[in-house]
């Protein structure tokens, strides 16, 4: 993550959930994003394969109602923070048997934005008074996403 983008991520977490994140949190955040994008694409790949498609299309992604709502809230919030251009560069995924098509690739930054908003909100649901997430907080919140996504 570039140094220029760190203040925007800090601001995003402050605005989204009143959290003060530091560089260690941003590394954990980046690992979280990589893992969750991979998980979503892995399931989407299985759907594409089951439907005899060579590429992953947007409707192959397992987007739940809650995640879709977080994506919509992220769009509203992003008008103020302008994080999406940075997410465009942050989204990475390993090679898969079936590659995402252009429309799917284009959706990934907003999906990451929705996941990011859901992550920030999850910290506050579990730890209402939390201001600065520590390792123990990440170790509690991340497994919840593994359970649900």
């Amino acid at each position: 993550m570039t140094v220029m983008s760190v203040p925007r991520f800090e601001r995003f977490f402050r605005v989204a959930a009143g959290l003060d994140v530091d560089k260690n949190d941003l590394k954990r955040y980046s690992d979280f994003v990589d893992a969750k994008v991979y998980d979503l694409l892995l399931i989407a790949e299985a759907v594409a394969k089951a439907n005899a498609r060579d590429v992953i299309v947007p409707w192959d992604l397992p987007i739940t109602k809650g995640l879709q709502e977080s994506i919509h809230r992220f769009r509203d919030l992003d008008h103020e923070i302008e994080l999406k251009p940075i997410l465009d560069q942050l989204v990475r995924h390993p090679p898969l048997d079936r590659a995402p098509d252009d429309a799917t690739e284009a959706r990934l930054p907003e999906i990451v934005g929705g996941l990011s908003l859901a992550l920030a909100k999850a910290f506050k649901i579990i730890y209402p008074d939390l201001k600065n997430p520590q390792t123990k907080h990440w170790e509690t919140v991340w497994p919840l996403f593994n359970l649900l996504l």
Side-chain angles (χ1 to χ4, degrees), residues 1-146:
M1 186 176 311
T2 65
V3 176
M4 285 179 46
S5 62
V6 171
R8 284 194 196 175
F9 278 98
E10 290 171 341
R11 185 164 180 236
F12 170 77
F13 280 96
R14 246 188 335 274
V15 170
L19 297 172
D20 293 321
V21 295
D22 58 28
K23 287 183 183 179
N24 291 329
D25 292 314
L26 295 179
K27 168 65 173 122
R28 288 186 280 252
Y29 166 77
S30 180
D31 292 344
F32 171 83
V33 166
D34 289 346
K36 294 300 105 195
V37 167
Y38 177 73
D39 290 348
L40 291 170
L41 287 172
L42 194 62
I43 297 303
E45 180 180 47
V47 172
K49 188 175 189 176
N51 287 297
R53 278 194 307 280
D54 292 335
V55 296
I56 296 170
V57 294
W59 54 86
D60 292 334
L61 294 164
I63 305 298
T64 63
K65 176 184 174 282
L67 179 53
Q68 187 63 46
E69 290 171 355
S70 290
I71 291 167
H72 289 298
R73 286 194 304 265
F74 169 76
R75 285 180 191 145
D76 294 340
L77 185 64
D78 195 46
H79 289 295
E80 175 184 343
I81 298 172
E82 297 179 0
L83 194 58
K84 188 177 176 297
I86 296 166
L87 294 179
D88 286 333
Q89 299 170 9
L90 180 67
V91 174
R92 300 180 308 248
H93 56 81
L96 302 163
D97 288 338
R98 284 162 172 69
D101 70 0
D102 290 342
T104 305
E105 288 282 357
R107 267 205 85 203
L108 291 177
E110 283 189 339
I111 291 169
V112 169
L115 284 168
S116 302
L117 185 62
L119 173 68
K121 297 290 187 180
F123 279 118
K124 292 306 261 190
I125 290 169
I126 298 168
Y127 305 103
D129 299 325
L130 183 65
K131 293 292 179 202
N132 187 340
Q134 303 298 312
T135 301
K136 68 180 183 177
H137 303 117
W138 283 90
E139 290 173 349
T140 300
V141 172
W142 193 327
L144 291 175
F145 280 84
N146 289 341

